[in-house]
Amino acid sequence: MKLLFKQRFFSWFDSYDIYDESGNIVYVVKGQLSWGHCLKIFDANGNEAGTVKERVFTFFPKFEIYLGQSYIGCISKELSFFKPKYSIDFNGWHVEGNFFEWDYSILDSLGGRVATISKELFNWTDTYSLDIVQNDNALCVLMFVLAMDAEKCSRN
C-alpha cells in the first residue's frame, strides 16, 4: 500500500491530508492546541482513528501513540551523531534513516521491512511518500511518520 502524506499550506496548526495511490483522501490530520504537538487522525468518514501526542519536559523528544483512545506505544528520538535514530516501543519496530533525514525505513524485530518513507523534494510543504508492506500497518506507520515530522519541526 502506498500513501502520500501532504502538509496543508495554510493552517494555524499542523494539518495534513493523506492520499492513497488513486488520489483519494484516506486520512485527515488536524493539529490541536496543546503543550507540545497533539495531532488527531480522522478517517475518510470523519471518525477519529488515532492520536499522536508529544510528551513535554523530556530530555529527548517523545511522542505517545494512541489507536482510538488506547495507548499502543511511544516513539522517542535517541542520541546519535550522523544518522537519525528513533526508538519505538511497539511491535519491536525500529527506525533507521539517512544523514539528511529525508528517507527512513521502519523495520520489525527480525530486520524485515514494515515501511519505507521518502520525503519528496521541491514541494511548498512537507510531503512524504509511504510505501507500506502490509495494509494493516498503514495507520500505525502514519502515526510514527507524523511523530518523526513533528520532532523535526520542533528541532528546527
Side-chain angles (χ1 to χ4, degrees), residues 13-16 29-32 34 36-42 48 50-54 63 143 146-147 149-150:
F13 300 105
D14 294 330
S15 295
Y16 307 88
V29 180
K30 297 178 183 177
Q32 306 287 308
S34 70
H37 289 87
C38 181
L39 304 168
K40 298 275 186 181
I41 299 117
F42 299 90
E48 186 175 331
T51 304
V52 176
K53 188 173 185 180
E54 183 176 11
F63 294 85
M143 290 192 286
L146 285 166
D149 186 63

Side-chain angles (χ1 to χ4, degrees), residues 26-145:
V26 180
Y27 297 106
V28 173
V29 180
K30 297 178 183 177
Q32 306 287 308
L33 181 62
S34 70
W35 289 100
H37 289 87
C38 181
L39 304 168
K40 298 275 186 181
I41 299 117
F42 299 90
D43 65 17
N45 297 323
N47 301 314
E48 186 175 331
T51 304
V52 176
K53 188 173 185 180
E54 183 176 11
R55 281 190 200 166
V56 292
F57 307 119
T58 59
F59 189 68
F60 288 110
K62 291 186 179 201
F63 294 85
E64 295 176 340
I65 308 296
Y66 295 87
L67 195 57
Q69 301 299 319
S70 302
Y71 174 84
I72 62 166
C74 181
I75 181 170
S76 56
K77 174 93 177 189
E78 294 181 349
L79 179 63
S80 61
F81 295 104
F82 297 110
K83 289 176 89 174
K85 190 158 179 127
Y86 297 90
S87 170
I88 301 173
D89 70 351
F90 172 75
N91 268 357
W93 292 1
H94 65 279
V95 177
E96 294 179 358
N98 72 6
F99 181 78
F100 295 107
E101 300 185 55
W102 289 334
D103 298 307
Y104 296 93
S105 290
I106 297 176
L107 307 172
D108 63 20
S109 59
L110 301 174
R113 187 172 61 88
V114 175
T116 303
I117 298 93
S118 301
K119 183 170 184 173
E120 294 187 3
L121 303 177
F122 309 114
N123 286 298
W124 289 101
T125 60
D126 286 343
T127 303
Y128 294 90
S129 174
L130 288 66
D131 187 6
I132 304 159
V133 175
Q134 294 180 346
N135 293 354
D136 296 347
N137 291 329
L139 181 57
C140 293
V141 169
L142 171 63
M143 290 192 286
F144 294 129
V145 173

